[in-house]
Amino acid sequence: MLAKSSENIPDIVIGRLPLYLRALRRLQQEEKDVTSSHELGKRLDISSAQIRKDLSHFGGFGKQGTGYRIEYLIEKLQDVLQVNQEWMVVVVGAGNLGIAISRYRGFQDRGFRIAHLFDVSPQKIGLAIDEFVVKPIADLNKTIRDEGIKIAMLAVPAEHAQSVADQLVDAGVQAILNYAPINITVPSSVQIQYIDPVTHLQHMTYYLNEG
């Protein structure tokens, strides 16, 4: 694995790396072998200087005048993001959203595999959903500990998100993707990201013309 820089790399830089990786995969699908920071910048609306600066945190990946070999840069970014392995993920909440997440095939071949689906409802526990059988949340702690799972997705109502997050952290989860429309508190050692479509829609409506 590529050694990570010892410097304190800004989180905003880490957040752009998956965008670069996605764009590179698209270029690879287009059967291109080489790209440049200028081409990536045009596709992502990010300046070429910013892309070069971001990548420089992790070493030299290209040569001036020749650009980046796409396959090589994909491999190196996978190393940096630690998605050159398969991470097992649990989904908590077997409602419409949780089921949709579990059925989403976009995680495959990108470093993640949905391993288990949990819920608290007696009506849902034991249901077969594709290759999953919904597990009781009472089994959450043991399953996570036994299988060494470090990542979870929360698709539960807002009022239950904090208590479920507490259980996940207690079981050893180190990263949570939260779909519940509420901020939750976790230790500083735990990574958390939020996905709330309403807040993004409200952000955009500010810029819309009235009427």
Side-chain angles (χ1 to χ4, degrees), residues 4-208:
K4 294 185 180 180
S5 171
S6 59
E7 65 179 301
N8 186 22
I9 299 170
D11 186 65
I12 193 170
V13 173
I14 305 301
R16 284 192 288 263
L17 298 186
L19 301 180
Y20 302 156
L21 184 56
R22 184 178 65 187
L24 289 163
R25 288 186 179 278
R26 175 65 66 179
L27 287 165
Q28 193 176 50
Q29 290 171 359
E30 295 170 8
E31 299 184 348
K32 295 188 177 183
D33 297 320
V34 178
T35 189
S36 65
S37 56
H38 178 70
E39 182 176 26
L40 286 172
K42 285 182 64 178
R43 289 188 175 230
L44 296 169
D45 196 24
I46 299 173
S47 74
S48 58
Q50 183 65 66
I51 292 173
R52 291 193 299 271
K53 182 178 179 181
D54 288 351
L55 295 179
S56 71
H57 285 288
F58 307 96
F61 297 132
K63 295 181 180 180
Q64 189 171 1
T66 62
Y68 303 104
R69 284 201 302 112
I70 292 171
E71 183 177 2
Y72 175 79
L73 188 51
I74 286 174
E75 291 175 357
K76 293 306 178 184
L77 288 179
Q78 286 176 327
D79 283 348
V80 170
L81 293 169
Q82 301 190 82
V83 291
N84 55 353
Q85 58 181 303
E86 184 177 71
W87 294 92
M88 291 194 298
V89 181
V90 297
V91 176
V92 184
N96 291 335
L97 178 58
I99 291 172
I101 293 168
S102 300
R103 285 176 165 166
Y104 178 58
R105 299 308 176 196
F107 300 116
Q108 295 178 352
D109 301 322
R110 297 178 72 178
F112 305 96
R113 177 172 65 86
I114 305 300
H116 301 287
L117 179 58
F118 290 89
D119 203 278
V120 70
S121 169
Q123 287 74 36
K124 294 177 182 176
I125 293 169
L127 286 179
I129 299 173
D130 295 342
E131 70 268 34
F132 301 102
V133 174
V134 179
K135 292 178 174 289
I137 204 163
D139 292 349
L140 185 69
N141 191 296
K142 185 177 187 304
T143 301
I144 289 172
R145 289 182 181 276
D146 287 352
E147 300 186 20
I149 297 172
K150 300 183 182 299
I151 304 175
M153 296 187 189
L154 270 184
V156 300
E159 60 269 26
H160 300 303
Q162 184 64 61
S163 62
V164 175
D166 292 342
Q167 293 180 62
L168 290 167
V169 172
D170 182 63
V173 163
Q174 297 176 11
I176 298 173
L177 183 60
N178 180 33
Y179 285 86
I182 188 173
N183 279 41
I184 55 181
T185 302
V186 296
S188 59
S189 59
V190 176
Q191 293 292 314
I192 185 162
Q193 295 286 331
Y194 296 91
I195 296 181
D196 180 1
V198 173
T199 60
H200 292 289
L201 288 168
Q202 291 172 337
H203 182 168
M204 292 189 294
T205 55
Y206 172 86
Y207 298 98
L208 300 184

